[in-house]
């Protein structure tokens, strides 16, 4: 486990100092779930490779908002969920990426008929498909798959480059309003100004109540992460600039008036 800067995440120097020939696998999040820091995928993958390790990237907070070039950037493995910027909803299936040269070497620990070369042979033993399909196991969850299909068709129509261009402008607007309105009211920016993903983390001692107030009384679905982070994730496919503006304005007014402190401060399991 690498202890790194809480906002910026691990640098190539941090990783280079942590890996040695005993390390087989490096796991990193491309965009950090809390701070939104967006790591240099190519550079960090190269550091892992130089030390003789392979690298697995968690793309849960990237896919659907941030362009990814897994082959170009030397990624070995990647995984993520489909219920954030991919919009398929909780319970929709996760995904796995395995670089072509590793597909035959890596073993699937869950032996199921969908990964079997002759799926309907029903014979003895396990003879996996010699490509990425070996990582399938049993019947897919169809309702979740249908949600992924519909959600991805909308995203593909928009194009990830366009979504990313909009996302950068949305987060720029959050940071601009943070500087103008929220920093003077005791908020701290917990996201790097450069190299971030599609969300912005704002630190405030009463972030939990602020978050609940936004959800319960303003129809703004923000998120809280302990101890004091309010996450604003303006998904570029459906969030308008005016929505970001209005949200920041409401946060400003709430902090000035203190009215959000009426919200129940007892913590639920999920925010
Ligand atoms: C970094 C990261 N990885 C993965 C996931 C998805 O986890 P799961 O598929 O268990 O819901 C999340 C969800 O919040 C996440 O933040």
């Amino acid at each position: 486990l690498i202890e790194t800067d809480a906002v910026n995440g691990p640098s190539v120097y941090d990783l280079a100092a942590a890996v040695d020939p005993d390390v087989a696998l490096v796991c990193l999040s491309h965009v950090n779930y809390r701070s939104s820091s967006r790591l240099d995928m190519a550079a960090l993958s190269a550091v892992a490779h130089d030390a003789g390790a392979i690298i697995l990237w968690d793309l849960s907070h990237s896919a659907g908002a941030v362009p990814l070039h897994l082959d170009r950037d030397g990624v070995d493995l990647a995984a993520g969920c489909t219920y954030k910027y991919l919009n398929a909803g909780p319970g929709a299936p996760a995904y796995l990426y395995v670089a072509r040269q590793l597909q035959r070497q890596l073993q699937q620990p869950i032996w199921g008929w969908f990964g079997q070369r002759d799926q309907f042979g029903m014979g003895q033993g396990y003879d996996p498909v010699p490509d990425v399909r070996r990582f399938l196991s049993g019947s897919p969850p169809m309702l979740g798959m249908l949600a992924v299909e519909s959600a991805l068709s909308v995203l593909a129509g928009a194009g990830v480059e366009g979504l990313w261009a909009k996302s950068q402008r949305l987060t720029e607007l959050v940071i601009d309003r943070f500087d103008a309105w929220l920093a003077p009211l005791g908020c701290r920016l917990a996201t790097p100004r450069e190299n971030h993903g599609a969300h912005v983390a704002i630190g405030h001692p009463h972030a939990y109540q602020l978050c609940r107030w936004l959800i319960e009384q303003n129809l703004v679905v923000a998120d809280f992460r302990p101890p004091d982070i309010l996450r604003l994730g303006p998904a570029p496919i459906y969030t308008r600039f005016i929505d970001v503006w209005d949200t920041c304005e409401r946060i400003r007014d709430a902090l000035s008036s203190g009215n959000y402190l009426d919200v129940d401060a007892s913590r639920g399991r999920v925010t």
Side-chain angles (χ1 to χ4, degrees), residues 29-34 36-38 58-66 68 79-81 83-85 95 164 196-199 223 225 231:
S29 283
H30 179 231
V31 171
N32 183 273
Y33 78 97
R34 182 194 298 268
S36 190
S37 81
R38 177 168 45 85
D58 186 321
L59 306 179
S60 296
H61 292 264
S62 313
V66 182
L68 296 160
C81 69
Y83 58 79
K84 297 185 186 2
Y85 300 100
Y95 55 86
W164 177 227
H196 54 252
H199 72 270
D223 209 350
R225 284 294 173 271
R231 281 196 314 190

Side-chain angles (χ1 to χ4, degrees), residues 127-250:
D127 176 24
V129 188
D131 60 33
V132 76
R133 287 171 297 173
R134 69 174 50 194
F135 297 101
L136 296 173
S137 49
S139 304
M142 283 316 298
L143 296 181
M145 299 281 279
L146 287 171
V148 172
E149 190 175 38
S150 310
L152 293 191
S153 70
V154 175
L155 292 172
V160 77
E161 294 295 340
L163 290 168
W164 177 227
K166 182 178 173 198
S167 170
Q168 288 171 290
R169 289 168 56 211
L170 287 165
T171 53
E172 242 169 56
L173 180 57
V174 177
I175 293 173
D176 174 71
R177 289 302 89 196
F178 167 87
D179 288 333
W181 290 341
L182 308 183
L185 293 169
C187 291
R188 134 186 140 261
L189 188 64
T191 287
R193 286 178 185 268
E194 307 291 328
N195 301 328
H196 54 252
H199 72 270
V200 176
I202 295 174
H204 188 274
H206 300 305
Y208 180 78
Q209 278 170 293
L210 199 49
C211 181
R212 288 304 325 168
W213 177 81
L214 285 169
I215 295 171
E216 288 168 22
Q217 296 186 27
N218 295 271
L219 298 178
V220 173
V221 184
D223 209 350
F224 167 77
R225 284 294 173 271
D228 65 348
I229 298 291
L230 177 73
R231 281 196 314 190
L232 299 176
I237 191 74
Y238 54 75
T239 310
R240 302 169 305 169
F241 291 91
I242 186 77
D243 300 325
V244 168
W245 182 277
D246 287 349
T247 298
C248 293
E249 198 171 48
R250 284 176 203 187

Side-chain angles (χ1 to χ4, degrees), residues 61-120:
H61 292 264
S62 313
V66 182
L68 296 160
H69 304 281
L70 304 186
D71 282 332
R72 183 196 75 188
D73 290 347
V75 172
D76 301 302
L77 303 167
C81 69
T82 53
Y83 58 79
K84 297 185 186 2
Y85 300 100
L86 294 177
N87 291 314
Y95 55 86
L96 173 70
Y97 166 89
V98 181
R100 197 173 299 283
Q101 71 276 12
L102 288 174
Q103 289 175 7
R104 279 168 180 261
Q105 287 171 45
L106 281 190
Q107 290 176 18
Q108 155 70 292
I110 303 169
W111 293 3
W113 65 319
F114 273 65
Q116 182 76 311
R117 193 191 297 252
D118 181 2
Q119 183 176 359
F120 289 92

